[in-house]
Amino acid sequence: MTDTNHVGNHKLAFISGGGGAIACEIAIQLDKAGYHLLLSDINLEKMTSIVSKLKRKPELFVCDQTNPNEIQSLIETIKEKYPNIDVLINNAGYTKEGPFITQTDTDIQRQLWINLISPIKLIHGILPLMLKRGKGSIVSIVSVGGIIALADSSIYSAGKFGLRGFLTALYEEVKHTNIKISGIYPSAVDTPMLLHEALNGGTALNWINKVQSPKKVADAVLLGIKRGTLEIYVPYSDGLVSRLVAVFPWLIGTLSPILKWIGERSKRKWLAEKGIQIPTKTNLE
């Protein structure tokens, strides 16, 4: 058993999906703020690449967030070695683009586990530690996809809609304690996952507005840790539009043709800035 005193007087923050671009920015900012970090990811190599960017060496945990046994093992380790955890950040996310009818059982299970079930299980395991200490912050990166449901992202939307509902209810349950609950709602973020969507049939609606940097999301996470605001939008303007569409969901279908045209044009420009050209219909004809 590791002595919890080895982290000194530093606060403890756990980040799932710890090898990703957004996690890297969050880790850098928390490291500068004096936190000792616990990172988990299915890919050890990706997490290891972040270590050199930090002042303090983080603790790394390999965990498949579609595997309930591995999730529970991670929770038990945190309970045993890091009971004084201050911050839990649910950052891991996954999407498999395409029509619902083409999704396999594995596709469905993977998206629901990573986007909904595993964040809930991690909170269920770690929240009691925070309640016992009388303080703590829980921040989950949800996505505007948890407010607006788009074609070809039905399972992703189901998971993110569910996570938003869960966080809203949990916020009400603990609002009279010193536990802060925040959900972060970014639109498209410049990550490898977005690039994969761009090159593999992801909806052009992701590119209607300016693609956000991972740092902007990390800034929102730190704001959530500090203030405990239930919903933080990145950018704020997207929150206004998305909530309007949530009230009138038929708007997306009505405006879809022109929105897709705008998004497709923006997507091509975004890819071109990365040195990637994709053929237009004219080129294919």
Side-chain angles (χ1 to χ4, degrees):
M1 175 176 174
T2 301
D3 186 352
T4 57
N5 290 330
H6 82 286
V7 298
N9 294 321
H10 298 295
K11 290 184 177 181
L12 283 165
F14 170 86
I15 308 172
S16 71
I22 294 175
C24 181
E25 289 294 336
I26 297 171
I28 289 171
Q29 291 202 34
L30 288 178
D31 182 63
K32 288 180 179 178
Y35 281 82
H36 179 81
L37 301 176
L38 316 174
L39 307 180
S40 81
D41 199 288
I42 194 171
N43 190 314
L44 178 61
E45 184 178 354
K46 285 185 176 181
M47 285 192 291
T48 302
S49 68
I50 295 175
V51 174
S52 62
K53 301 176 183 180
L54 307 176
K55 296 178 182 178
R56 283 167 292 278
K57 184 177 179 180
E59 303 294 322
L60 307 181
F61 303 92
V62 176
C63 179
D64 178 354
Q65 290 195 222
T66 68
N67 186 320
N69 292 329
E70 291 192 23
I71 295 171
Q72 190 58 42
S73 177
L74 175 60
I75 291 170
E76 293 303 322
T77 298
I78 292 174
K79 286 181 177 180
E80 180 183 5
K81 297 182 178 181
Y82 308 102
N84 295 328
I85 187 168
D86 297 282
V87 175
L88 165 61
I89 300 170
N90 284 308
N91 167 69
Y94 174 74
T95 184
K96 175 67 181 295
E97 56 283 319
F100 171 68
I101 199 66
T102 68
Q103 302 283 320
T104 66
D105 285 346
T106 298
D107 295 333
I108 292 170
Q109 292 286 339
R110 182 170 181 78
Q111 290 179 85
L112 290 178
W113 266 97
I114 294 176
N115 297 325
L116 176 61
I117 301 174
S118 64
I120 290 175
K121 287 183 69 66
L122 286 169
I123 293 172
H124 190 256
I126 294 174
L127 177 58
L129 300 176
M130 295 180 173
L131 288 170
K132 184 177 181 179
R133 296 180 64 215
K135 61 179 180 178
S137 295
I138 296 173
V139 181
S140 297
I141 297 178
V142 185
S143 164
V144 168
I147 303 174
I148 302 175
L150 301 175
D152 297 333
S153 64
S154 56
I155 307 304
Y156 179 80
S157 295
K160 294 298 187 177
F161 267 61
L163 184 58
R164 185 190 187 207
F166 167 75
L167 292 173
T168 303
L170 184 63
Y171 178 90
E172 290 299 317
E173 289 185 23
V174 303
K175 67 181 181 181
H176 298 301
T177 71
N178 288 324
I179 310 302
K180 297 171 182 152
I181 305 291
S182 287
I184 310 300
Y185 293 80
S187 51
V189 183
D190 194 349
T191 64
M193 188 168 83
L194 184 65
L195 180 59
H196 177 82
E197 289 189 64
L199 300 176
N200 292 276
T203 177
L205 297 179
N206 282 325
W207 286 268
I208 292 175
N209 295 314
K210 182 180 179 181
V211 174
Q212 300 297 302
S213 69
K215 185 180 183 303
K216 288 290 183 67
V217 181
D219 290 342
V221 169
L222 263 72
L223 186 63
I225 292 171
K226 181 179 179 181
R227 297 185 180 176
T229 305
L230 176 58
E231 296 188 347
I232 300 174
Y233 298 89
V234 185
Y236 177 76
S237 58
D238 277 12
L240 300 175
V241 175
S242 62
R243 282 175 282 181
L244 175 63
V245 174
V247 175
F248 303 104
W250 49 266
L251 280 174
I252 282 290
T254 302
L255 300 174
S256 184
I258 188 169
L259 292 177
K260 285 183 177 179
W261 180 81
I262 294 171
E264 186 64 32
R265 185 177 63 175
S266 298
K267 180 179 75 172
R268 291 176 183 278
K269 181 179 178 182
W270 181 72
L271 286 170
E273 290 172 352
K274 295 180 177 296
I276 302 172
Q277 299 290 338
I278 57 176
T280 62
K281 289 184 178 180
T282 303
N283 293 334
L284 291 173
E285 294 173 349

